[in-house]
Amino acid sequence: MTAMATKKQPAAKKAAKKTSAAKKKTASTPATKPRRKRQIYLEGHKRKFLVVVDETPECESALAFAASRAQRTTGQLALLYVIEPEDEAMHWLGVEDIAREEGQSKAKAVFRLFGRKLKAMGFEDLVPEEIVREGNKADEIPKLIEEDQDIGVLVLGASKDPSGPGPLVSSLAGGRLAGVFPTPITVVPGHLSIEEILALA
């Protein structure tokens, strides 16, 4: 029995060494890729306030806050419209291109609408950057922020619906991404009037 135990001991030591080496390797590997430094305060750059626009009422709250902050801090307002994918079956029907064209047309209409809203709020001289992406909103927003180093703040409007603040606020500001999001997120309460928001921004 003693001889058998002695024979097994070197194998156990080897296994322990392998486990220790694997742990060291895991510890030295970063969990996420390093984020690039923001460029917003370098010469020739402006801090951008990003607003995700759609047809929900809370977007107007986010627009008012972001526009006011951009104007007061001599920054830039950026509007993002995301064309979300249609049903998988649409690909088989050969209408993917038509759906994409409709999405682009809808994006232009939403940008025109928000341009009018900006003027109505008194931001006639503020010309926003208009960005269109295709994909899932929760995926495309962090991708855009990672690509554009001038984006300094994401501004979201929270719904005043008792069921919750809205999917974007829940997934980005309150979900798994909240602790690792690349920029600060400002959430504007939905119950505030435009006048109250402009007084706070």
Side-chain angles (χ1 to χ4, degrees), residues 32-49:
T32 56
K33 65 177 181 178
R35 290 185 295 275
R36 290 184 295 166
K37 189 177 179 181
R38 299 279 115 182
Q39 305 293 317
I40 53 179
Y41 291 118
L42 296 181
E43 187 178 347
H45 293 261
K46 280 187 176 183
R47 178 171 59 164
K48 293 181 184 178
F49 292 83

Side-chain angles (χ1 to χ4, degrees), residues 5 14 19 24 37 54 74 118 156 169 183 195:
K14 284 181 182 177
T19 305
K24 284 180 182 176
K37 189 177 179 181
D54 53 32
T74 62
L118 281 172
L156 300 174
V169 175
T183 63
E195 290 75 17

Side-chain angles (χ1 to χ4, degrees), residues 135-161:
N136 180 277
K137 281 182 184 176
D139 295 331
E140 292 303 319
I141 295 166
K143 281 183 191 176
L144 173 63
I145 293 173
E146 190 59 35
E147 291 168 14
D148 189 342
Q149 296 299 293
D150 287 347
I151 296 174
V153 182
L154 171 64
V155 183
L156 300 174
S159 172
K160 56 184 178 181
D161 193 308

Side-chain angles (χ1 to χ4, degrees), residues 48-69:
K48 293 181 184 178
F49 292 83
L50 179 64
V51 178
V52 184
V53 294
D54 53 32
E55 296 169 304
T56 56
E58 54 265 27
C59 279
E60 190 169 349
S61 301
L63 179 75
F65 186 90
S68 183
R69 292 303 301 149

Side-chain angles (χ1 to χ4, degrees), residues 86-102:
E86 296 285 346
D87 191 336
E88 289 290 331
M90 297 291 279
H91 297 288
W92 294 100
L93 296 173
V95 293
E96 187 178 359
D97 291 339
I98 296 172
R100 184 175 285 111
E101 286 177 16
E102 288 177 352

Side-chain angles (χ1 to χ4, degrees), residues 88-140:
E88 289 290 331
M90 297 291 279
H91 297 288
W92 294 100
L93 296 173
V95 293
E96 187 178 359
D97 291 339
I98 296 172
R100 184 175 285 111
E101 286 177 16
E102 288 177 352
Q104 291 286 346
S105 297
K106 192 170 182 180
K108 289 176 183 176
V110 170
F111 287 143
R112 284 196 299 271
L113 172 65
F114 278 83
R116 291 194 295 270
K117 288 181 183 293
L118 281 172
K119 287 180 181 177
M121 292 175 193
F123 299 107
E124 297 90 351
D125 299 328
L126 192 62
V127 180
E129 178 183 355
E130 298 175 350
I131 306 161
V132 180
R133 305 273 291 213
E134 292 184 31
N136 180 277
K137 281 182 184 176
D139 295 331
E140 292 303 319

